Structure formats: C-alpha cells, structure tokens
Amino acid sequence: MTPELTRLAAELTAVIDDVAAAFGAAADPTVSGELDCDPIRPGHLLCWQYGVRVEHPASPEAGLASYVPVLHRAGWQSHDRSTPAEHITRFTRDGADFTVHIAGSVTIIGSTRPVPA
C-alpha cells in the first residue's frame, strides 16, 4: 500500500468508527481494504474502502445530528441526499468522502477515495 493510501485508510477508518459510535451500538465492519479502481489502466488508481453496519436505537437521526457539528469543526462538509424513505448524508473533505445511510433499523457508513498508485 502506498504511503498516501495508508494515511487515507487510517483517517477514514477513524472517522467512520467515530461516527458509528455516535449511534451507541457496536459496528460490524462490512468492507475494509484496498481496491484497484481504474478499469482502463489497472494498478494506476487505488481506493481504500471501509464500511460498517450499525443496528441502531429508535432515533438514529438524533445520533447522527449530535455528531454532525464535530465533523463540521473537523472540516467535513455535509450534503443531505435523503428521500422520504431513507436518510442519506454524504460528507466530504479534501477529496475524501463517506456516506451515512439510515434505512429501517440499520445504518450503513462507508467510504472510498481514489489515490494514484
């Protein structure tokens, strides 16, 4: 793994784990690892993928809302992409991003960001 990808992996893993903790339940990792994401030139663009699944309490939006100011202070911008059926918020900072997807009794938090290999 490149030094940039190592740094990115540590950063995104930590922020996603912190967001998951705001829901007050244990998070189950769903994906964690390097991905070759350049279909035209394999091996030239890598991504770090990390995601967790959280079974949350009755009002998950409140858990997320309590943590959004922390993310904003850390420089993350939020973009609401919710629909009437599900809550979706995308956070971006310096080219990295992650999404919080709340649907029913489950929350999925995941990220990916490409870096040159």
Side-chain angles (χ1 to χ4, degrees):
M1 194 162 33
T2 69
E4 174 65 7
L5 196 56
T6 300
R7 183 196 64 74
L8 175 66
E11 175 188 323
L12 290 176
T13 299
V15 75
I16 288 172
D17 287 346
D18 288 347
V19 172
F23 289 95
D28 296 319
T30 58
V31 62
S32 179
E34 189 177 305
L35 174 70
D36 188 343
C37 54
D38 188 347
I40 296 170
R41 296 179 353 173
H44 287 90
L45 192 61
L46 301 175
C47 296
W48 179 258
Q49 282 184 289
Y50 182 67
V52 298
R53 178 181 187 274
V54 181
E55 292 191 28
H56 51 68
S59 57
E61 289 85 359
L64 177 60
S66 70
Y67 202 74
V68 168
V70 174
L71 292 168
H72 286 170
R73 284 192 297 275
W76 291 93
Q77 295 179 351
S78 58
H79 311 276
D80 188 356
R81 299 190 164 186
S82 300
T83 70
E86 56 196 358
H87 180 94
I88 303 167
T89 302
R90 181 172 176 241
F91 294 90
T92 58
R93 183 180 78 182
D94 300 328
D97 66 72
F98 70 94
T99 301
V100 177
H101 183 187
I102 301 169
S105 63
V106 174
T107 296
I108 302 294
I109 307 166
S111 71
T112 185
R113 178 183 169 204
V115 296

